[in-house]
Amino acid sequence: MRKILQYILRILAKLVLKKYKPVIIAVTGSVGKTSTKEAIYHVLRSHFGEKEVRRNQRNYNNEIGVPLTIFGLETAGRSIFLWLIRFIKMFGMIISKAFYPSFLILEMGADRPGDIKYLVDFVHPKVGVITALGEIPVHVEFFENPQQIAKEKRNLITCLKEDEIAILNYDDEGVRQIGEGIR
């Protein structure tokens, strides 16, 4: 059931992003993702206004949470009725013209190999930020080693086009290595 929900949310999120074309700033890293996302949010909000900027709430940084953030909605848990209401709202945003923020700041987490790649395949950021990996990265249980985590985080910047921006924390040796060879 979760895979079906994930698939539907992905398709609907792609449609709304194509329609409204917000500037997407994606943030990942093993350390400092949330603080960095919040800092970016507060700076943009002070310049453009609260309605023009949206960010993930709580831990909405995965394959279900990111699409919900794109729609400005919260999870419906296990309630089919509440999910139906959410889907009606989503279709309404796609079918009719609604107000949509100009900027999305999306924290992207990676608990398993392929998580970041999955997200950037349908949420293409204009700006990719990698905060820090640290000496002992978190969420290592599904990765073979820290290098595999770094490789997964690197997907955030390898998806960027030539005119898009990668912001890397060069104080962190792991992030510095991720950036090698990227132009």
Side-chain angles (χ1 to χ4, degrees):
M1 189 68 169
R2 180 178 168 91
K3 288 290 184 189
I4 294 168
L5 175 62
Q6 186 178 319
Y7 179 74
I8 293 168
L9 288 172
R10 176 185 172 122
I11 290 170
L12 296 176
K14 279 175 79 168
L15 291 171
V16 83
L17 291 174
K18 185 176 180 179
K19 178 176 182 173
Y20 294 102
K21 297 174 180 45
V23 173
I24 299 170
I25 302 165
V27 180
T28 195
S30 298
V31 179
K33 289 186 303 284
T34 302
S35 298
T36 302
K37 172 198 71 177
E38 289 297 318
I40 295 167
Y41 170 76
H42 287 285
V43 168
L44 291 176
R45 186 182 77 176
S46 71
H47 287 292
F48 298 100
E50 190 168 344
K51 289 186 177 187
E52 290 296 330
V53 187
R54 178 180 294 157
R55 72 192 185 293
N56 320 60
Q57 298 292 326
R58 294 190 226 114
N59 62 346
Y60 280 23
N61 65 3
N62 61 19
E63 59 277 348
I64 302 242
V66 168
L68 286 173
T69 298
I70 289 167
F71 285 99
L73 298 172
E74 293 191 15
T75 183
R78 296 178 183 262
S79 171
I80 293 173
F81 176 73
L82 290 177
W83 275 113
L84 180 62
I85 292 170
R86 303 287 190 277
F87 285 126
I88 290 168
K89 288 180 181 180
M90 290 177 203
F91 283 114
M93 289 179 73
I94 293 166
I95 294 169
S96 65
K97 185 72 174 164
F99 174 80
Y100 200 82
S102 300
F103 297 92
L104 291 177
I105 300 101
L106 300 174
E107 180 179 325
M108 295 185 174
D111 291 334
R112 292 179 165 75
D115 284 352
I116 300 290
K117 176 125 179 58
Y118 175 85
L119 292 171
V120 298
D121 280 348
F122 73 96
V123 179
H124 186 84
K126 181 93 171 153
V127 179
V129 180
I130 302 179
T131 58
L133 296 178
E135 290 182 33
I136 303 172
V138 295
H139 305 300
V140 295
E141 59 270 14
F142 295 107
F143 291 93
E144 292 176 15
N145 53 49
Q147 292 77 24
Q148 194 180 26
I149 295 172
K151 183 179 176 185
E152 184 61 34
K153 303 289 185 183
R154 190 174 199 267
N155 285 318
L156 182 63
I157 58 172
T158 57
C159 78
L160 298 173
K161 297 175 185 163
E162 193 171 300
D163 64 335
E164 296 172 334
I165 300 165
I167 300 172
L168 307 175
N169 175 6
Y170 265 48
D171 289 340
D172 185 285
E173 187 176 333
V175 175
R176 193 174 330 120
Q177 290 173 357
I178 285 174
E180 290 177 4
I182 301 289
R183 295 281 169 220

